Amino acid sequence: MRKDKIDKVFQNLSKSISNPKTELKYKNPYTFLISVVLSAQATDKSVNLATKNLFKEVKNPQDMIKLGEKKLKSFIKTIGLYNSKAKNIINLSKILVEKYNSKIP
């Protein structure tokens, strides 16, 4: 899609949905990002169930890296594609730490 068309779609959505909300439960911008990654091909309900305990332990990219891929999988195994999502979340967390000082760009 061309940029001008994307901009028009965004403007129209902004007018019709002035205060968008999500059903995903999160604690901060990082946990929201993780919830969004997990929501691909999954329901918000299943993501919320999986992240309920995960977000008690993980609040930032450093926590996620320390948790590790194997333990992350144990939290998200009820969500489809959990193997690749766990790998990608760990890589995403490393990029945030290394390139963005742990902040969401």
Side-chain angles (χ1 to χ4, degrees):
M1 191 181 296
R2 293 187 344 244
K3 184 178 178 343
D4 61 323
K5 187 155 183 134
I6 293 169
D7 289 342
K8 187 171 182 163
V9 168
F10 182 75
Q11 288 172 0
N12 288 336
L13 283 173
S14 295
K15 288 177 187 172
S16 63
I17 307 171
S18 61
N19 190 15
K21 296 187 176 94
T22 179
E23 292 184 23
L24 292 172
K25 295 183 180 167
Y26 59 96
K27 298 186 181 281
N28 57 48
Y30 175 72
T31 58
F32 180 61
L33 176 61
I34 298 307
S35 291
V36 170
V37 170
L38 291 172
S39 72
Q41 298 183 353
T43 64
D44 290 351
K45 183 178 179 179
S46 67
V47 171
N48 289 338
L49 285 171
T51 58
K52 181 179 179 182
N53 290 323
L54 174 64
F55 292 160
K56 289 178 184 176
E57 289 191 36
V58 172
K59 303 201 180 6
N60 56 55
Q62 294 90 339
D63 291 344
M64 188 66 77
I65 294 166
K66 190 186 304 184
L67 182 71
E69 187 176 331
K70 184 176 179 181
K71 185 134 188 228
L72 174 57
K73 286 180 185 181
S74 72
F75 283 102
I76 65 170
K77 64 185 173 193
T78 58
I79 299 175
L81 306 171
Y82 74 94
N83 285 312
S84 61
K85 288 178 182 182
K87 180 180 179 181
N88 290 327
I89 286 170
I90 296 298
N91 287 333
L92 166 71
S93 299
K94 288 177 181 177
I95 290 169
L96 288 172
V97 169
E98 293 168 6
K99 293 188 177 184
Y100 297 98
N101 198 28
S102 299
K103 304 285 187 236
I104 308 300

